Amino acid sequence: MFNKVLFAVAFLGIVSAKPFDETASPADVNEYRVAHAKQFLLTLREACVNRSGSEEGYQQFLSAVPPAVRCLKSRIDWPQMMMDMKLMTQDNRKKVFETYCPKLVDSKVCFDDTIQALSTCLARDTKASREILGEMFSGAVTLFCKNDGEFIYETRKPEFRSCITGVKKHIKECKSTKIASTTPWTEYGREECSELVKARDCLKGKVNSCDSRTVMDIVDIYYNPIFKANNCLTMPALATDDQGAIIESLNEV
């Protein structure tokens, strides 16, 4: 349950919103978004109650969303951005991303209250939890804007779409045991870090078979901030196939 919430936060709507699916009708896209929003809220409420013993963080989140949306709309013309990216070509992609990416970075302030609410749900140390969620947001924006929208072109490839379809099943197959799932993510020790490293390596093995590195980049939006906050990859005997590369990427955050 906890992992589902965190992956929902990590994706930040980048792939679930389907803004670039040219075959989908507006009604289909809207129905998809509403269904996923409802599922996210149900999952979040259950996680808040299970981990904090109350709905306080959940109610805070519900109250924080409308102001966050208004703030975002005041900073970014979202329909225009979606249209510009849908019509984007290799010739103008640099201009498009130079226009919108600084605005996306600046929009992080819009989500301060929602991040605080999620922190109340998910950890006793809300300051450390806020930092993790903030890095997840930053990681998502960085991936989205990297190389002037390379991510967008990757998501249009058939191998990406087929790979994304199987991610939910792979997460279940590779999930860590109850130890890492019930321990606050700001308080991981050797045992919990080991669980998380193994889960990440397992998921990488599943995802690599579908030949889309972009999917693993999305997954690491979730894992990397938690590894960093708990110094997981610097613990002796906690190795991962990509340990060197991950540590290097964390140093860039």
Side-chain angles (χ1 to χ4, degrees):
M1 185 62 64
F2 183 48
N3 285 349
K4 289 181 182 179
V5 174
L6 271 300
F7 269 100
V9 174
F11 274 77
L12 293 173
I14 287 179
V15 293
S16 64
K18 289 187 176 179
F20 309 110
D21 186 346
E22 299 177 0
T23 64
S25 69
D28 288 340
V29 172
N30 187 62
E31 182 179 354
Y32 183 89
R33 290 173 176 170
V34 169
H36 277 255
K38 288 181 178 179
Q39 183 58 51
F40 172 78
L41 291 175
L42 289 172
T43 304
L44 176 63
R45 180 181 178 278
E46 184 175 348
C48 285
V49 172
N50 289 344
R51 298 184 68 81
S52 68
S54 75
E55 288 191 359
E56 179 184 357
Y58 175 71
Q59 295 299 332
Q60 287 177 3
F61 181 83
L62 293 181
S63 298
V65 168
V69 172
R70 290 194 295 270
C71 176
L72 190 62
K73 287 182 177 179
S74 72
R75 292 170 180 268
I76 302 174
D77 185 342
W78 204 261
Q80 185 62 51
M81 187 181 86
M82 292 295 100
M83 180 59 66
D84 288 346
M85 290 190 176
K86 183 176 181 180
L87 300 177
M88 182 176 62
T89 66
Q90 291 287 2
D91 292 333
N92 71 356
R93 61 188 271 195
K94 183 176 180 63
K95 180 180 178 180
V96 170
F97 275 82
E98 285 180 345
T99 298
Y100 291 109
C101 282
K103 295 179 181 180
L104 288 171
V105 172
D106 291 342
S107 71
K108 182 178 178 180
V109 66
C110 296
F111 298 95
D112 284 349
D113 289 343
T114 55
I115 287 175
Q116 174 61 42
L118 290 169
S119 300
T120 301
C121 282
L122 301 176
R124 289 189 289 268
D125 186 342
T126 56
K127 180 180 179 181
S129 186
R130 281 199 310 272
E131 291 177 357
I132 291 174
L133 288 166
E135 288 197 14
M136 288 181 178
F137 180 96
S138 297
V141 173
T142 297
L143 177 59
F144 185 76
C145 295
K146 183 178 178 181
N147 295 332
D148 299 321
E150 179 183 0
F151 174 84
I152 303 303
Y153 288 93
E154 288 298 315
T155 62
R156 291 172 175 174
K157 294 179 179 178
E159 56 265 33
F160 173 86
R161 294 190 178 275
S162 63
C163 196
I164 273 291
T165 301
V167 165
K168 185 175 181 180
K169 180 185 72 173
H170 297 328
I171 291 172
K172 290 181 179 179
E173 293 172 349
C174 295
K175 68 180 179 180
S176 53
T177 66
K178 192 175 182 181
I179 296 173
S181 298
T182 57
T183 303
W185 63 349
T186 57
E187 302 174 19
Y188 282 9
R190 180 186 299 275
E191 192 170 8
E192 290 82 11
C193 281
S194 178
E195 293 275 349
L196 205 63
V197 167
K198 289 177 181 177
R200 190 261 179 199
D201 282 350
C202 172
L203 191 56
K204 179 177 182 291
K206 301 283 187 182
V207 169
N208 278 0
S209 65
C210 62
D211 194 29
S212 179
R213 171 62 203 174
T214 302
V215 175
M216 201 61 203
D217 288 338
I218 297 172
V219 169
D220 279 337
I221 293 171
Y222 162 74
Y223 281 109
N224 285 354
I226 302 177
F227 285 153
K228 180 179 178 180
N230 294 282
N231 298 312
C232 285
L233 297 181
T234 61
M235 293 181 180
L238 282 189
T240 176
D241 293 340
D242 296 326
Q243 183 168 349
I246 293 174
I247 291 176
E248 182 179 349
S249 69
L250 293 183
N251 289 335
E252 295 175 358
V253 176

